[in-house]
Amino acid sequence: MMMMQGIRKAGQGFFGKLVIAVMFGFLILSFAIWGVGDIFTGYGRNAVATVGKTEIGLEQMRSAYQNEIQNLIRQQRRQISPEMARALGLDRQVLSRLITEATLDQAAQRLGLAVSDETIRNLIFDDPSFRDAAGQFSSARFNDLLRSNGYSEQSYVALQRTTILRRQLSELIVGGLTAPLALQEQGNRLRNEKRAITFARMPASAAGEIAAPSEDQLKSFFNDRKAMFRAPEFRTADILSITAETLADPSKVSDAETRARYEAIKGQRFTAAETRTVQQIPFPNAEEAQAAKAKIDGGDSFDEIATERNVAFADLTLGTFTREQMVDPAVREAAFALEEGDVSAPVAGAFGTVLLRVTKVEAAHVRPFEEVAAEVRQELATSRAAARVTELHDKIEDQRASARPLAEIAKELGLALRSAGPMNAALGRPDGSREEALPGGDATLQAIFRSDIGVDNEAIRLPRDSGYVWFDVTKIDPARERSFEEVKAEVEKQWRVDETATRLSDKARALVERLDKGESFDVVAASAGLTIETAADLARQGERPELPGTVVAQVFGTLAGKGGSAAGADGGRILFRVDSATVPPYVRTTQEAGEFERLLSSSVSEDILLQYVAKRQAELGVSINEAAFRNATGGAQN
């Protein structure tokens, strides 16, 4: 792994960030900007893409894609299926990276950039990964590490050479670039500006009474917004899920087995240790503590002594502890030797001399077998069922390989099959109710909506390897336009929402005009029967419960001293006036400013590099063979 880190070392800096930042969606946008119209045309059978005169081969794409999946598996510490990788866009990201690298390689060649053999030699000789125990370069270690990581000497040298050239090119374009001061100051304003406002809430009721709409009004409203009332696509699917929990059969666990397991774990699981609630009064020395104890023995109460010593009631109680939880040995032994309500003799604790009182004792308690038998029995059954998960997985996969539907497999193996749906992509049902959560959650739901009827879908591995989910899409009801009659109630509800919002907006606009003409906020709010509130130190990203993000955004889009309004919660609106806008001075010598300057400069550099790559790609020409791309990444063929 150290050797692999060394390989990547030369790619750090701006270029490394560029490769990470360039996602396929950005490249598509760049191609559109620069007029590359043939990006998805075919090319050579074994070329996934071409950039100018450079071909990205099928094996090159396949290898890079598999390496990226393995990297993701190591990062996530779980298996990543090909379907999941494609859903994450990993295939397109890898292709984007390879296209970017090919673009930079040709740009470097065009500019005549080169790396000498001596530079490569020094880089290898200076790499600590290739040194022996004496700190000297070891050709044997060099060859062993290359071989174990899948490199030949020639391929490793070629990789180092191209990586250094790409880095040189990026430094040639943006090396030493610093974000302009004006941009830094503007960034400081966006990050640190604070505003204070006076505001008032306009509830939905402030719109007044809204008469019932006519049929023609509703139909006109509906016709203008048919897409809003369109029925989404609904899908129905058979789902088979196996986990240790669902396979567990507590009835097959005997009473004797359950009792034995209970006895084995009751000390750790079902035994509550004795606890004591302890109070203490501290003293500067043993003599004063002994004098106080004598007063208590003579009839004074512990509370009276505490008051006399100016110990507040809230500070009197140490807490409730088990014996193990008390860290001071002297205090622990004294506290657990007392009866409930008794006061100790002076105790020389680790933090001074104290008097203790135990106000409550909870005796140790063991939950009886009868109380926890069902819980223990279920755990035993689940533990035993875990071994069946892999066995059943293999049986189901064998059956799936024979193209048998899940319904038949479930019946043969005696497993419960769930028919889910019809449901939309948010688990909504046509009648407005919600489908119960699916096993596997969002991963299963998304996979169902990416699949089709008759497709043999891969099993979805549940988190922590706890089980598997299979599904067959059995029915698809396409999205469609609904008739006015179907959605009349929804149309009227939305019409009222829009009408209320329009009236509130008109009323708020009139009030804002009065504010901007100089009337005080108090007078304007009072005339509308509104209650005045204030908010200070509002930050641009500082959404608060009482001020939604839409309101904060509008506040920062309004000049200081001016009024405005924005939609609030529950269909209401918020009227406001910006009382002040303050921006702390931008002091470039602070550590925070230095870090901000570095981040901003890096962002500017990446933007310039992205534009450079897009322009070079437009000049070179980019073509992608979609069939070869799907072949390399295991995607479905059209």
Side-chain angles (χ1 to χ4, degrees):
M1 290 304 295
M2 288 183 64
M3 194 277 285
M4 294 307 295
Q5 293 170 1
I7 290 173
R8 300 186 182 98
K9 187 174 182 180
Q12 293 176 349
F14 292 133
F15 175 74
K17 294 177 182 177
L18 169 67
V19 170
I20 295 171
V22 178
M23 296 304 177
F24 194 79
F26 176 85
L27 290 177
I28 295 299
L29 177 62
S30 301
F31 297 143
I33 291 172
W34 296 108
V36 181
D38 63 343
I39 181 171
F40 290 119
T41 61
Y43 199 76
R45 179 177 298 177
N46 294 319
V48 172
T50 60
V51 183
K53 297 180 180 179
T54 300
E55 289 190 1
I56 297 171
L58 190 147
E59 286 304 320
Q60 180 186 359
M61 176 67 205
R62 179 179 290 130
S63 176
Y65 181 51
Q66 290 303 320
N67 287 341
E68 203 63 35
I69 289 178
Q70 292 306 312
N71 288 338
L72 187 59
I73 289 173
R74 284 191 289 269
Q75 292 170 10
Q76 299 293 323
R77 296 181 179 178
R78 64 188 179 101
Q79 286 300 311
I80 304 295
S81 68
E83 184 179 60
M84 188 181 301
R86 288 192 293 273
L88 293 170
L90 204 62
D91 51 354
R92 297 288 176 178
Q93 292 175 29
V94 171
L95 179 59
S96 169
R97 174 171 60 80
L98 294 176
I99 290 174
T100 299
E101 291 173 354
T103 303
L104 292 173
D105 291 346
Q106 292 180 78
Q109 184 179 11
R110 177 184 177 188
L111 293 172
L113 300 181
V115 179
S116 69
D117 292 341
E118 184 180 1
T119 299
I120 299 295
R121 179 181 179 279
N122 291 338
L123 180 70
I124 292 173
F125 274 56
D126 291 342
D127 192 330
S129 301
F130 303 138
R131 294 176 183 173
D132 57 21
Q136 300 299 313
F137 174 78
S138 168
S139 59
R141 179 168 176 78
F142 172 72
N143 289 316
D144 286 344
L145 283 174
L146 260 59
R147 192 181 308 110
S148 64
N149 284 277
Y151 289 95
S152 66
E153 181 177 329
Q154 291 78 12
S155 64
Y156 179 68
V157 169
L159 175 63
Q160 290 293 336
R161 193 182 303 277
T162 55
T163 302
I164 294 173
L165 283 173
R166 293 165 192 163
R167 185 179 182 185
Q168 285 180 352
L169 179 61
S170 66
E171 290 177 348
L172 180 66
I173 298 167
V174 294
L177 185 147
T178 301
L181 178 59
L183 184 60
Q184 295 179 44
E185 290 175 339
Q186 180 62 26
N188 176 62
R189 170 178 287 277
L190 293 174
R191 295 172 72 203
N192 298 318
E193 180 181 2
K194 296 293 178 65
R195 294 199 167 198
I197 65 170
T198 302
F199 68 97
R201 305 175 192 279
M202 300 175 66
S205 58
E209 186 176 350
I210 299 176
S214 67
E215 188 89 351
D216 288 342
Q217 281 180 297
L218 290 181
K219 285 184 176 179
S220 176
F221 184 85
F222 169 74
N223 288 329
D224 291 341
R225 301 165 177 81
K226 281 188 176 181
M228 179 184 296
F229 303 102
R230 183 178 174 85
E233 178 181 299
F234 288 94
R235 294 195 170 204
T236 304
D238 285 341
I239 299 176
L240 178 60
S241 170
I242 59 169
T243 65
E245 288 75 15
T246 57
L247 295 175
D249 186 356
S251 66
K252 294 184 177 180
V253 180
S254 68
D255 290 343
E257 291 170 324
T258 306
R259 170 71 73 173
R261 178 61 178 166
Y262 169 76
E263 293 297 335
I265 65 174
K266 70 177 180 181
Q268 297 79 26
R269 288 274 304 279
F270 303 122
T271 300
E274 177 185 325
T275 61
R276 293 185 170 224
T277 302
V278 181
Q279 295 180 326
Q280 73 169 14
I281 302 174
F283 294 88
N285 51 62
E287 291 74 17
E288 292 188 31
Q290 188 59 55
K293 180 62 167 69
K295 286 185 177 181
I296 292 173
D297 292 342
D300 287 1
S301 71
F302 190 81
D303 293 336
E304 288 173 339
I305 298 297
T307 301
E308 182 182 307
R309 305 289 305 180
N310 292 320
V311 178
F313 180 76
D315 298 329
L316 197 59
T317 302
L318 271 179
T320 300
F321 307 96
T322 63
R323 178 181 288 273
E324 289 73 20
Q325 289 171 335
M326 298 198 78
V327 296
D328 189 325
V331 172
R332 176 176 62 236
E333 295 306 318
F336 276 82
L338 293 171
E339 298 293 331
E340 186 173 312
D342 285 355
V343 177
S344 71
V347 179
F351 303 102
T353 303
V354 295
L355 291 182
L356 303 174
R357 177 171 68 174
V358 173
T359 59
K360 186 177 182 181
V361 176
E362 286 281 355
H365 171 67
V366 179
R367 295 174 67 188
F369 172 74
E370 292 72 20
E371 183 180 323
V372 298
E375 178 182 341
V376 174
R377 193 185 304 272
Q378 179 65 45
E379 288 180 3
L380 272 174
T382 300
S383 177
R384 292 176 181 178
R388 293 190 60 212
V389 170
T390 300
E391 175 190 346
L392 276 173
H393 168 269
D394 294 344
K395 287 183 178 180
I396 294 170
E397 284 296 301
D398 289 343
Q399 298 276 30
R400 296 288 281 174
S402 302
R404 295 190 65 187
L406 282 179
E408 292 182 12
I409 297 172
K411 183 177 181 180
E412 180 175 317
L413 296 178
L415 300 173
L417 184 74
R418 172 179 169 184
S419 179
M423 59 192 173
N424 61 28
L427 288 181
R429 299 178 63 88
D431 62 2
S433 63
R434 285 185 60 78
E435 179 74 24
E436 184 181 341
L438 306 181
D442 288 343
T444 302
L445 181 63
Q446 292 169 13
I448 288 172
F449 274 83
R450 287 194 303 268
S451 186
D452 206 340
I453 296 174
V455 172
D456 182 13
N457 305 289
E458 294 182 18
I460 298 171
R461 187 190 294 268
L462 296 176
R464 299 180 300 279
D465 294 333
S466 58
Y468 300 88
V469 177
W470 292 264
F471 67 89
D472 282 339
V473 177
T474 57
K475 186 181 180 185
I476 298 176
D477 297 312
R480 63 176 181 85
E481 288 189 357
R482 294 188 289 184
S483 66
F484 173 74
E485 286 70 24
E486 286 182 89
V487 294
K488 183 177 179 180
E490 292 179 44
V491 172
E492 181 170 353
K493 181 179 179 181
Q494 190 59 48
W495 179 88
R496 288 189 176 277
V497 169
D498 284 19
E499 187 68 16
T500 299
T502 299
R503 292 194 183 188
L504 284 179
S505 180
D506 291 342
K507 284 192 172 186
R509 187 180 301 110
L511 296 177
V512 169
E513 288 176 358
R514 290 172 58 186
L515 290 173
D516 289 347
K517 288 179 180 177
E519 286 192 60
S520 73
F521 199 94
D522 292 1
V523 171
V524 172
S527 69
L530 305 178
T531 301
I532 296 175
E533 300 179 58
T534 60
D537 291 328
L538 272 178
R540 197 175 295 269
Q541 304 298 326
E543 182 175 342
R544 300 180 181 181
E546 71 273 19
L547 295 171
T550 52
V551 177
V552 174
Q554 193 67 31
V555 166
F556 277 87
T558 303
L559 295 174
K562 295 293 185 178
S565 73
D570 301 324
R573 200 164 185 86
I574 290 182
L575 175 73
F576 65 84
R577 182 190 63 207
V578 179
D579 298 325
S580 65
T582 56
V583 181
Y586 182 55
V587 182
R588 298 182 66 185
T589 55
T590 65
Q591 181 178 350
E592 180 184 0
E595 181 62 25
F596 177 61
E597 181 180 342
R598 284 190 292 274
L599 290 173
L600 193 59
S601 298
S602 177
S603 178
V604 172
S605 298
E606 289 171 10
D607 287 345
I608 293 173
L609 279 171
L610 289 171
Q611 293 178 43
Y612 176 82
V613 169
K615 185 67 168 64
R616 292 288 79 79
Q617 287 172 348
E619 294 172 351
L620 291 167
V622 177
S623 177
I624 295 175
N625 183 338
E626 281 292 320
F629 172 71
R630 289 192 296 272
N631 187 1
T633 59
Q637 301 292 325
N638 291 330

